[in-house]
Amino acid sequence: MDQALVFRQLFDADSSTYTYLLADPVTQAAVLIDPVFEQHGRDRALIEELGLTLLVTLDTHCHADHVTGAWLMQQAVGSKIAISGRYGDMVKGADYLLDHGDTVTFGRRTLEVRATPGHTDGCITYVLDDHSMAFTGDCLLIRGAGRCDFQQGDAKRMYASITEQIFSLPADCTIWPAHDYSGRTSSTVAEEKAHNPRIGGQADETDFVGYMENLGLPHPKKIDIALPANCVCGQPEDGKMPTVADWGPVRLTYGGVKEIDPQWVAENLSSVHVLDVRGPDEFNAELGHIREAQLVPLSQLEDRMAEISAQQPVVAVCKSGRRSALATAMLKKHGHPDAASLRGGMLGWNDAHLPVARD
Ligand code: FE
């Protein structure tokens, strides 16, 4: 099974949440654990760029510190939403209600569902088929454990969850938690058994419960927003998908570039300003140019910024979409409100058989 898993750990700095992408490289079937609402564009772009098919988003629990991106993914790519069924009527809108012993299949791989309550009633640890990885949510953290003092928290139950369901995994099983606040990315069962300051070493249930019940943590700052939103799987109150730009179907790449589809640009040329940043020789060479385009070579753009109209959104164009991406960043730096790069550049434009001019 080596090389048989695509795996990415993603981070949301605002909530210190880890999101995990797992996929079978042969079938391209993917799952996404604990997506974050605000990172939807990033996650979606990565899934597309890797050529994966997202089957399902898996929340480890109903979160109180950030809003899940599950609903957004369902709307965008048709993925299913899965969460524990143990929340009962509290959570609405999920496609699959999971329970202990269930399996989630993606291509040739599976995740095993282990109920690990204690932080909340519906906390799940997802364990990879070969027991090499465990996604522990807010149950076992790196040198820590999720708080047990709100929602349906119960330190005794968490002690049982960790010792029976997680510490029973192989010593070298990697622990991938839902959060870390100190830059630590992963651990192992052996490491946490030995060194976890709350439950490691010689700690017994009395030690653990005594520790957890006296943490004195502040109320989670986003709970009043996050909890109601997560009870509907992250569907916004207005039921609308957030957009990158209000003027057209602009998409953000995983690299952070705003891109727009050539077909849309061809159909909406009157509502955008096309800025070609290639050299004059390329402008009239075999790929041609978009008839309405203004030619300002990238090397001159900084000096000629005043010539770029701010009346309409700018679509920057080059040969392949690389120099135009830099042009959009330069426009942004100079305060231009709306700019996007033509996806695929003139190569893509020609491939789509869209009209070109040559002077
Ligand atoms: Fe949590």
Side-chain angles (χ1 to χ4, degrees), residues 20-92:
Y20 300 98
L21 176 66
L22 288 81
D24 170 12
V26 173
T27 63
Q28 275 86 43
V31 298
L32 189 66
I33 299 175
D34 284 339
V36 173
F37 188 92
E38 289 80 4
Q39 301 294 347
H40 168 71
R42 173 200 68 183
D43 297 351
R44 183 181 169 189
L46 179 62
I47 288 163
E48 281 181 8
E49 289 173 23
L50 296 179
L52 304 174
T53 304
L54 185 68
L55 303 183
V56 60
T57 54
L58 304 168
D59 271 291
T60 54
H61 61 290
C62 186
H63 305 277
D65 56 357
H66 69 272
V67 177
T68 176
W71 183 85
L72 294 179
M73 273 302 175
Q74 183 196 51
Q75 298 301 303
V77 303
S79 51
K80 301 292 184 188
I81 298 173
I83 192 165
S84 170
R86 295 195 184 183
Y87 294 113
D89 289 342
M90 190 182 121
V91 177
K92 294 181 176 68

Side-chain angles (χ1 to χ4, degrees), residues 188-203:
T188 65
V189 165
E191 242 186 274
E192 294 308 315
K193 265 187 185 172
H195 302 296
N196 190 297
R198 303 183 182 186
I199 200 165
Q202 301 294 310

Side-chain angles (χ1 to χ4, degrees), residues 247-250 260-262 264-275 290 292-294 309 311-317 336 338-340 342 349:
W247 55 271
V250 175
I260 189 139
D261 180 52
W264 184 89
V265 175
E267 288 162 10
N268 294 273
L269 276 172
S270 60
S271 65
V272 297
H273 180 71
V274 179
L275 175 67
I290 298 168
E292 295 78 356
Q294 175 189 17
S309 163
Q311 301 302 310
Q312 288 182 310
V314 169
V315 174
V317 182
H336 200 285
D338 291 302
L342 182 74
W349 186 273

